[in-house]
Amino acid sequence: VSIGPARLRDGALHGRGVLVVFEDVTPVEKAGQMRRDFVANVSHELRTPLTALMGFIETLKGPAREDPAAAERFLSIMEAEASRMNRLVGDLLSLSRVEADERMRPAERVELGALLRASVAGLAPLASEAGVTLIDALPEETDGPLVPGDADQLRQVFSNLVENAIKYGGAGAEVRVAMDAPAYEPRLRATGVRVRVADTGPGIPEIHLPRLTERFYRVDSHRSREMGGTGLGLAIVKHIVNRHRGRMRIDSTPGEGSTFSVVLPVD
Ligand code: ADP
């Protein structure tokens, strides 16, 4: 609330008065708070591996010098921590790139079927390493449909979703990638194609679903970190899907699995 002197001109009220302005600053405050939270989160996420690295460097300079087996073990932990920091910085850069312009005009026409098939094939080794059955349930006869967009970004969307399904699905799970034939999509007011990435993993309790695409939101922080997650994957996915004027939907039943569906407008 701000108060200041004012001249009154309306009607009979010629003369001096007081002007009281009520301004709703909630959105500004909220944005400021979000930015502060984000910086605090990033600092914390970077500091955790950094602290570990510094600890191991100290140990390597001291007691571990005489113990090559221990030194070897510490070095591989350090490597893992350094690559975690590298992933985090990479994801932060991706996020800032896709956040910079929410309303891009997609120039390319991407063959979505071909892109998905290649993504699934590329992740087959990761799946088999994790003991997960990765199923390509995409229509075989076509490379399309054509989606106006950015191929690199769309590839990032689907590899993030499939990687999550593999990571969180865990050994013995099944991950299926499917695509529906393009149809009129009332919510997009255009023809859209729907891609589904479904897993038979542990599922996600309903209470978490609305917050899953927030930056650094994790259902189980310990597990996410253990799996090498940055907590930014779904935030990046959401932004890219929005930029393509698409929609994402998450359905999950604990104990049965999760399905991430992305609908994108087609040409
Ligand atoms: P992270 O880097 O932690 O994987 P994401 O933004 O990709 O971050 O995902 C956010 C959280 O959503 C994860 O930490 C995990 O708890 C949950 N999650 C994502 N995908 C799945 C899935 N397929 N099954 C179960 N939980 C999932």
Side-chain angles (χ1 to χ4, degrees):
V1 178
S2 52
I3 301 178
R7 281 179 197 285
L8 298 179
R9 294 220 179 87
D10 289 347
L13 289 172
H14 286 285
R16 287 181 180 278
V18 170
L19 178 68
V20 182
V21 179
F22 295 86
E23 192 183 349
D24 183 1
V25 293
T26 319
V28 182
E29 281 293 316
K30 253 192 183 155
Q33 187 58 45
M34 277 172 75
R35 200 164 35 244
R36 285 191 291 276
D37 287 351
F38 182 61
V39 172
N41 276 328
V42 171
S43 313
H44 174 75
E45 298 287 335
L46 282 170
R47 186 165 273 165
T48 310
L50 205 51
T51 307
L53 280 175
M54 284 160 70
F56 284 116
I57 289 170
E58 278 311 305
T59 321
L60 283 171
K61 280 165 76 183
R65 267 214 168 128
E66 317 299 326
D67 185 348
E72 189 69 33
R73 211 170 55 246
F74 294 157
L75 281 170
S76 50
I77 301 174
M78 290 169 74
E79 196 174 19
E81 294 294 340
S83 68
R84 175 211 292 285
M85 290 179 74
N86 198 26
R87 258 197 315 276
L88 180 60
V89 173
D91 278 357
L92 284 168
L93 287 173
S94 295
L95 191 62
S96 84
R97 256 198 309 272
V98 295
E99 273 182 342
D101 177 18
E102 282 286 353
R103 286 163 290 103
M104 70 153 185
R105 291 232 154 253
E108 280 182 71
R109 293 286 179 275
V110 181
E111 291 187 320
L112 194 64
L115 180 142
L116 288 168
R117 213 172 298 129
S119 294
V120 173
L123 289 168
L126 185 74
S128 81
E129 211 175 283
V132 168
T133 312
L134 179 57
I135 300 164
D136 173 342
L138 298 161
E140 273 169 31
E141 61 281 5
T142 165
D143 282 346
L146 289 181
V147 168
D150 179 318
D152 285 337
Q153 291 189 359
L154 291 175
R155 208 171 288 122
Q156 193 171 3
V157 164
F158 297 109
S159 29
N160 269 343
L161 294 179
V162 177
E163 275 174 34
N164 273 351
I166 295 171
K167 261 187 345 195
Y168 297 108
E174 210 173 69
V175 173
R176 181 181 294 268
V177 182
M179 180 170 75
D180 294 341
Y184 182 72
E185 190 58 47
R187 294 180 69 187
L188 297 179
R189 294 210 198 103
T191 304
V193 60
R194 184 171 59 171
V195 179
R196 270 171 306 160
V197 179
D199 68 67
T200 60
I204 305 158
E206 199 181 342
I207 180 174
H208 297 288
L209 295 181
R211 300 195 57 191
L212 229 48
T213 56
E214 286 176 20
R215 300 180 282 197
F216 297 118
Y217 190 85
R218 293 146 159 141
V219 175
D220 176 345
S221 309
H222 180 72
R223 183 160 162 73
S224 157
R225 290 207 177 82
E226 216 170 62
M227 313 294 304
T230 62
L232 293 176
L234 290 179
I236 295 172
V237 165
K238 188 187 87 177
H239 276 287
I240 296 178
V241 171
N242 284 348
R243 293 186 89 190
H244 286 77
R245 299 185 182 77
R247 291 189 177 272
M248 176 163 76
R249 182 193 156 107
I250 310 172
D251 296 286
S252 190
T253 311
E256 286 181 22
S258 314
T259 302
F260 289 73
S261 317
V262 173
V263 179
L264 295 166
V266 299
D267 237 4

